[in-house]
Amino acid sequence: MSFNVDDRGYYGNFGGAFIPEMLYPNVEELRSNYLNIIAEPSFQDEFHALLTDYVGRPTPLFKAERLSAKYKTNIYLKREDLCHTGAHKINNTIGQILVAKRLGKSKIVAETGAGQHGVATATVCALMGMECIVYMGAIDIERQAPNVARMRMLGAQVVPATSGSKTLKDATNEAMRHWINHPVDTHYIIGSVVGPHPYPDMVARFQAVISEEIRSQLQEKEGRDYPDYVIACVGGGSNAAGAFYHFLDEPRTALIAAEAAGLGVNSGHSAATTFLGKPGVLHGSMSLSMQTEDGQVIEPYSISAGLDYPGIGPMHAHLFASGRATFFGVTDEEALVAAVECSQLEGIIPALETAHALAVFERLQAKPNEIVVVNVSGRGDKDLATYQNRLKLND
Ligand SMILES: *Cc1c(COP(=O)(O)O)cnc(C)c1O
């Protein structure tokens, strides 16, 4: 069985490009060019030079001795939190802006929910001198003021989406509408392994540098180039896709995905898509998403803004449906406990999203001779206010 995308843009029964006719020329231009562009030696040189000198790659693979002792196994942390801007998202925005340049585009449009992808996009636009417009739900603009300030500081224009629930899906609609109206000079940077083909595959390829590095780092440290487990949190699924990519066809590596169960999978306040989702089209591809009987999207809930998404990318829907990956639902409370544990045992304050991945050690029951790699997708600075409130750090 294949876990990579096929020629038609499908992972098993999931994927494809379900888009309005008006968007077809834009997506088709990208689809027919992206593989050739990425394969060009000059693209690879520029991409890897920026990952090295600008992003700070390779990120360390750190043996977490005190966590390892506690769970009686060998736990390594892949430090994407040390990337420029504090998370893995920049790997993708660097790749996409280089594709945009080669397609002759001068402007970038994006949408953002929590603002993390907006910041990563505004960053590379500043770097490349490209105009940047970021659509963001009006409610999210209020909730995520620090990231809005960052985007504006970087020179981006942040446009409020005022329709519907004034959150991520409305911002997505407006960004797509903007792209339809500016097809010639604008590229649309999607921030996760979601959206119509070729986005999921393109984003996965850019994030795949994570597992490429894990392989060579493990070879050096452990004398073998695969772990027994790779764990990552899944919002749309880009950091997980990157951490899994080079192990998809390695049967000795178990792939573990942590989803946000919010107040509990069955509480009505959750974002655990594989537990609650049904097949359907969301954001331009066939995947699993949380929806009502008549196909309306259900508002997700998670303490973590980056996991607060009602779907998952088609690669992950296929990994779930085929049984290749194991999905765990992790509640807000479990994530908070894991965040404290990592902070106080290793001196690393993780992002709330990452804390979901750090919460599954107990359930994993890895053996003393096994190797577990957790992808630390981002750093926790942005979540300090939440940690402070929920953990009563003032007392
Ligand atoms: C955005 C984000 C995520 C979730 O996005 P994926 O596409 O699922 O990786 C996870 N962790 C951090 C730190 C993020 O900023």
Side-chain angles (χ1 to χ4, degrees), residues 1-6 11-12 249 318:
M1 187 184 293
S2 168
F3 301 105
N4 272 303
V5 78
D6 68 18
Y11 300 84
D249 298 315
H318 180 50

Side-chain angles (χ1 to χ4, degrees), residues 132-147:
C132 181
I133 298 180
V134 180
Y135 286 90
M136 191 168 182
I139 290 182
D140 290 334
I141 287 182
E142 272 170 46
R143 287 195 291 206
Q144 310 288 345
N147 278 338

Side-chain angles (χ1 to χ4, degrees), residues 87-89 116 191-192 233-239 306-307 351 353 377-378 382:
H88 67 289
K89 285 195 171 74
Q116 297 295 105
S192 190
C233 62
V234 174
S238 68
N239 87 88
L307 302 185
E353 291 84 0
S377 56
K382 68 181 177 59

Side-chain angles (χ1 to χ4, degrees), residues 3 33 58 166-167 215 291 316 358 392 394:
F3 301 105
N33 287 297
K166 302 184 177 59
T167 58
R215 262 184 20 180
Q291 49 188 292
H316 295 291
L358 293 163
K392 312 240 181 308
N394 295 327

